[in-house]
Amino acid sequence: MNDATHIPLAERLRPQTLDDYVGQAHLVGEGGVFRRFVESGNVPSFILWGPPGVGKTTLARIIASSLERPFYTLSAVAAGVKDVREVIDSARRQKFFNSPPPFLFIDEIHRFNKSQQDSLLGAVEQGVVTLIGATTENPSFEVISPLLSRCQVYVLRAMDEPELQTLLDRAISTDPTLRERGVDVEQTEALFRFSGGDARKLLNILDILAGMGSGRIVINDGTVTDALQQNIATYDKNGEMHYDVISAFIKSIRGSDPNAAVYYLARMLAGGEDPKFIARRLVILASEDIGLANPNALLLANACFDTVHKIGMPEAQLTLSQAAIYLATSPKSNSSAMAIWGAMAHVGRDTNNRPVPLHIRNAPTKLMKSLDYSKGYKYAHDFTDNFAEQEFMPEGLEGTRFYVPSDNETERRIAERLGKLWKGKY
């Protein structure tokens, strides 16, 4: 057997130049910022933010190799402050006179704690290294402000179907092993669906199909589904099960099942999932699925998010469990979520740019007052029950209703009060 067959397909097909790179046309296409980096040689520190398998590491390597600069790499999962300092010391020794700084690539930079990020800051400020970070999490939450302010952030997108098709065609036509075996592509719906916009996942599925027998490789919805059912991992935080387990966790809480919620929480923690990712999802769920049925849910979820950041694992599992059970056993309402989604949809299709009624406009100048800005406004606190009936919606939207109280104890009281104040208008 050819030794190349032991190398994963994703590695065999790793692009070496920007011309070979599939996807992210907004960054690597003609006139794209990464083309300009290679042409000018002037590369600032930057962070690549995007989902798994879209080419963050590959793009970093291409930039470094195209400019023929040293390329250091660290994984934030395994590296500590000592490792960071050793790499920076090595970079200092390699830098001569006005030579451009080497690149330091940190994968999963969102996993670095504050002290680890602080240890990078001086080297980035002094130009000892050009930092390239890769993250699947929003760097605004995970990267300290002084470091973030010194980095450009570029957003990478999941691959769409045409890009996945390009990748599939290239694999079939250029990989010696696949060409030798022969590939019959009958259907791609399941292949693309299971890939989920992840190039590495698509190529891993092809590897699985190739390993299931000899002779020609047949790609159709049946062979792909059967192959994955036989080879699925118990939990892979960067693979298919990541999305399945977090989905099951959220749906269990939404469905008021605390036992299933804790089970899937344990699955994620045992698989090495980032507890901050879980905590962030709980904050979102508290607003989306519980909302006004129990406003304290958001306060507790936010306290959980804050605590997880402060104490880390393994103690954070206690806080996550408490929050998950509290949210699962809380009454549910998506009324506030439906209200904003409805309002956003309306604003998106309403092109009238409706003027704000004069009586509720701000009037900080004499000119504005002369134009009747704020004239006739009723200050609610001057009236009984701190309410004065007046129109707040722009003309043409009077009586439009976005918030519909759900049927739970808290919102029944809200509905009763709104009905009394607005006399059935809402």
Side-chain angles (χ1 to χ4, degrees), residues 144-159:
I144 60 174
S145 296
L147 191 57
L148 188 62
S149 68
R150 288 162 176 80
C151 297
Q152 299 292 322
V153 176
Y154 298 105
V155 180
L156 278 68
R157 304 164 182 160
M159 285 191 171

Side-chain angles (χ1 to χ4, degrees), residues 92-163:
R92 277 200 175 95
R93 290 193 295 271
Q94 286 208 20
K95 194 174 185 304
F96 299 101
F97 302 108
N98 293 321
S99 63
F103 291 104
L104 171 56
F105 177 73
I106 299 182
D107 195 19
E108 297 192 84
I109 194 170
H110 60 278
R111 298 265 189 149
F112 262 6
N113 60 33
K114 184 178 183 300
S115 64
Q116 290 168 312
Q117 294 185 39
D118 282 337
S119 67
L120 285 170
L121 189 56
V124 173
E125 288 178 328
Q126 298 159 22
V128 176
V129 296
T130 297
L131 174 66
I132 305 177
T135 178
T136 56
E137 300 294 326
N138 188 333
S140 299
F141 297 128
E142 305 297 345
V143 178
I144 60 174
S145 296
L147 191 57
L148 188 62
S149 68
R150 288 162 176 80
C151 297
Q152 299 292 322
V153 176
Y154 298 105
V155 180
L156 278 68
R157 304 164 182 160
M159 285 191 171
D160 58 23
E161 284 201 8
E163 291 167 341

Side-chain angles (χ1 to χ4, degrees), residues 22 80 131 220 231 262 297 300 320 350:
V22 178
L131 174 66
N220 60 42
N231 290 273
V262 171
L300 187 135
L320 288 167
D350 185 355

Side-chain angles (χ1 to χ4, degrees), residues 215-409:
R216 293 185 70 81
I217 301 166
V218 178
I219 298 176
N220 60 42
D221 295 349
T223 57
V224 169
T225 302
D226 290 345
L228 292 180
Q229 286 176 343
Q230 293 179 40
N231 290 273
I232 200 160
T234 55
Y235 184 86
D236 174 6
K237 63 180 180 296
N238 291 320
E240 296 90 7
M241 286 297 285
H242 165 85
Y243 300 101
D244 290 341
V245 176
I246 189 64
S247 175
F249 175 63
I250 295 301
K251 289 173 181 173
S252 297
I253 296 176
R254 182 182 297 139
S256 299
D257 188 337
N259 298 295
V262 171
Y263 166 73
Y264 289 117
L265 174 61
R267 284 270 298 270
M268 289 187 288
L269 294 176
E273 183 59 82
D274 185 352
K276 290 181 286 188
F277 168 77
I278 302 172
R280 187 176 302 112
R281 293 302 300 266
L282 291 177
V283 174
I284 297 167
L285 182 142
S287 288
E288 180 179 351
D289 293 304
I290 297 171
L292 294 169
N294 178 11
N296 286 331
L298 178 58
L299 300 179
L300 187 135
N302 194 59
C304 170
F305 181 81
D306 186 49
T307 302
V308 167
H309 272 69
K310 288 177 178 175
I311 66 173
M313 288 292 285
E315 291 85 356
Q317 64 184 294
L318 304 175
T319 307
L320 288 167
S321 177
Q322 178 185 352
I325 292 171
Y326 182 85
L327 298 183
T329 55
S330 286
K332 304 298 187 294
S333 171
N334 70 345
S335 61
S336 57
M338 296 297 291
I340 188 59
W341 292 336
M344 291 295 291
H346 183 93
V347 169
R349 64 177 180 267
D350 185 355
T351 58
N352 294 330
N353 195 22
R354 300 175 186 272
V356 173
L358 284 173
H359 66 282
I360 57 172
R361 293 190 191 185
N362 190 31
T365 69
K366 288 183 178 180
L367 174 61
M368 291 177 172
K369 289 178 181 177
S370 72
L371 295 174
D372 289 339
Y373 281 33
S374 196
K375 183 179 180 180
Y377 172 62
K378 300 174 184 176
Y379 184 58
H381 301 291
D382 289 339
F383 295 82
T384 304
D385 292 332
N386 305 102
F387 175 80
E389 187 172 353
Q390 56 192 320
E391 186 58 61
F392 294 95
M393 281 289 201
E395 184 177 352
L397 294 183
E398 298 90 340
T400 302
R401 190 181 188 192
F402 295 114
Y403 170 58
V404 180
S406 292
D407 186 19
N408 57 74
E409 183 178 352

